[in-house]
Each structure stands twice: as C-alpha cells, then as structure tokens.
Amino acid sequence: SQTIHQWPATLVQPVGSPLSLECTVEGTSNPNLYWYRQAAGRGLQLLFYSVGIGQISSEVPQNLSASRPQDRQFILSSKKLLLSDSGFYLCAWSDRAQGPQHFGDGTRLSIL
Amino acid sequence: GQNIDQPTEMTATEGAIVQINCTYQTSGFNGLFWYQQHAGEAPTFLSYNVLDGLEEKGRFSSFLSRSKGYSYLLLKELQMKDSASYLCAVVDSNYQLIWGAGTKLIIKP
C-alpha cells in the first residue's frame, strides 16, 4: 500500500532563517505531488505541484520554492522566512490529476 | 472566477443526521471530492462524485447535481468523533483541484 511521510511535525524558526521541509511517498511510481499551506481556520492554499522529476508548477508567488530531485521526493524550501510564512504545511500525492489526493501528517511551522 | 461555497459552521446532535451543502462555480468539472479534517490533523479522503446521484459509504453519503453545481455530504447516526471540518473540492477543466474553505461541524451530546 502507498504511504506518505512528511517531516518534521513541528518547527519553530526565527524570521530570516532558511527552511527545508521534506516529503516522500512509498508504494507508487510517478505520483503527482503537492505542497499546500493552511492558515489557522482557513482552507487549503496550493503552493506547488509536480507531475514528474524536475517539473514544478508554482501557484502563488512568494519567497518559497519547491524541488523534486527524485520521483517520490518533494522538498519545500525558503532562503529567508517571513512572519507570514507561519502555517500548517501539507504534502499530498495522487496517482492522476483527477484522482483523490492523500495527505501527509503535516508540518506546523511557527515563525518568531 | 472559480468559487466553492460551504457553510462556515454547523451544529448537530449525537445520533442525528446532518447535511453539509456545497455549491460551486468552476471552469469545467471533472469530479468533486469530500474530505474530513480533524483539528490539527491532515485532511482524509471521504468520497468522490463525478456522475449525478448518490454515493453511499457506510454512515456517509455524498450527492451530486452537475446541472445545479451542487453537492451535499450526508452524515447519519452522528458520533462525537464526527466533529471535524468537512472540505468540498472540485476538479476543474484543467484538472486543478479547487478547494472550499470547509465546514466546521460541531456535535453536541
């Protein structure tokens, strides 16, 4: 069966520091991969999605970037975090564009 | 623009039935999802509708009317553990998933 791992679960970072969140999927090949952010009490905001290695589409301009160095690995990065980057970050995968997305446990990021 | 509307919050009683509505205006339609999200946790997939009609899965059912741009999630025999947010999401013509803001369901004993 397919599983998705996302880490860390919680992260507290100072303003201006770098960020790296990692997500890996097991049990499937060539998945579609997604990064979302969810502010407290709000809906999901799609940040990036990828349909293959090295293929990244950005939905919202910001100081975040994403990379997909391997088929089942998706990384969210920032060189300098802003206070507004605080939130709940979720990685998800699907086997096709119109298929259900399955989420990792999420990373709660607090910027101080 | 693309839009999905759901009530912000609903309250229901344990053991009762509740219907959560979702209306959408999107550029094209390639399916509608319902997800459950408990506080502080990730969303989990509940149901998928692409054709008109009712899909039943245990205590949960989901209905779709494409001509009306309307769906609902029906929860029967409510349990306290059903307290959560319920997210409606639509796949548009570009196969992008458009998310609603979610409905927070509060279950009272």
Side-chain angles (χ1 to χ4, degrees):
Chain A
S1 64
Q2 301 89 356
T3 56
I4 178 168
H5 303 280
Q6 186 182 342
W7 67 94
T10 307
L11 191 59
V12 180
Q13 292 284 100
V15 170
S17 64
L19 173 74
S20 181
L21 301 181
E22 190 162 342
C23 171
T24 59
V25 181
E26 295 177 359
T28 186
S29 295
N30 197 31
N32 290 345
L33 296 172
Y34 309 84
W35 277 112
Y36 288 91
R37 178 169 58 204
Q38 187 175 35
R42 305 287 294 274
L44 294 171
Q45 179 187 33
L46 179 64
L47 302 175
F48 301 95
Y49 71 92
S50 172
V51 299
I53 296 174
Q55 300 178 61
I56 309 293
S57 296
S58 174
E59 291 297 304
V60 182
Q62 58 216 322
N63 70 321
L64 299 172
S65 62
S67 62
R68 184 171 177 172
Q70 299 180 47
D71 181 44
R72 290 168 289 174
Q73 184 185 27
F74 205 22
I75 297 171
L76 182 69
S77 304
S78 174
K79 292 182 180 177
K80 281 180 115 175
L81 286 167
L82 306 172
L83 280 174
S84 57
D85 291 325
S86 290
F88 189 40
Y89 287 81
L90 291 155
C91 180
W93 75 272
S94 67
D95 60 2
R96 60 193 189 283
Q98 68 270 42
Q101 294 181 15
H102 305 279
F103 290 83
D105 290 338
T107 295
R108 194 159 302 281
L109 175 64
S110 299
I111 310 299
L112 303 178
Chain B
Q2 311 211 79
N3 194 50
I4 296 184
D5 289 314
Q6 306 178 235
T8 303
E9 187 174 295
M10 298 181 70
T11 302
T13 304
E14 190 177 15
I17 298 173
V18 71
Q19 177 176 310
I20 302 174
N21 295 327
C22 170
T23 57
Y24 61 89
Q25 300 91 37
T26 56
S27 57
F29 178 85
N30 281 296
L32 183 145
F33 294 97
W34 283 97
Y35 283 80
Q36 180 189 60
Q37 185 177 23
H38 285 102
E41 298 182 8
T44 55
F45 167 68
L46 285 178
S47 67
Y48 174 66
N49 294 70
V50 66
L51 299 176
D52 289 351
L54 189 68
E55 294 281 341
E56 296 185 78
K57 228 188 236 187
R59 295 189 297 115
F60 292 9
S61 303
S62 56
F63 171 83
L64 175 67
S65 169
R66 288 172 296 171
S67 62
K68 295 182 179 177
Y70 167 71
S71 173
Y72 68 72
L73 181 68
L74 190 71
L75 291 74
K76 302 177 185 177
E77 301 168 18
L78 285 170
Q79 302 175 9
M80 296 304 292
K81 67 178 182 179
D82 297 329
S83 292
S85 288
Y86 291 86
L87 309 177
C88 174
V90 173
V91 184
D92 71 8
S93 57
N94 294 319
Y95 294 99
Q96 297 298 306
L97 196 56
I98 312 301
W99 292 87
T103 299
K104 182 178 180 180
L105 178 63
I106 299 168
I107 311 295
K108 294 186 175 178

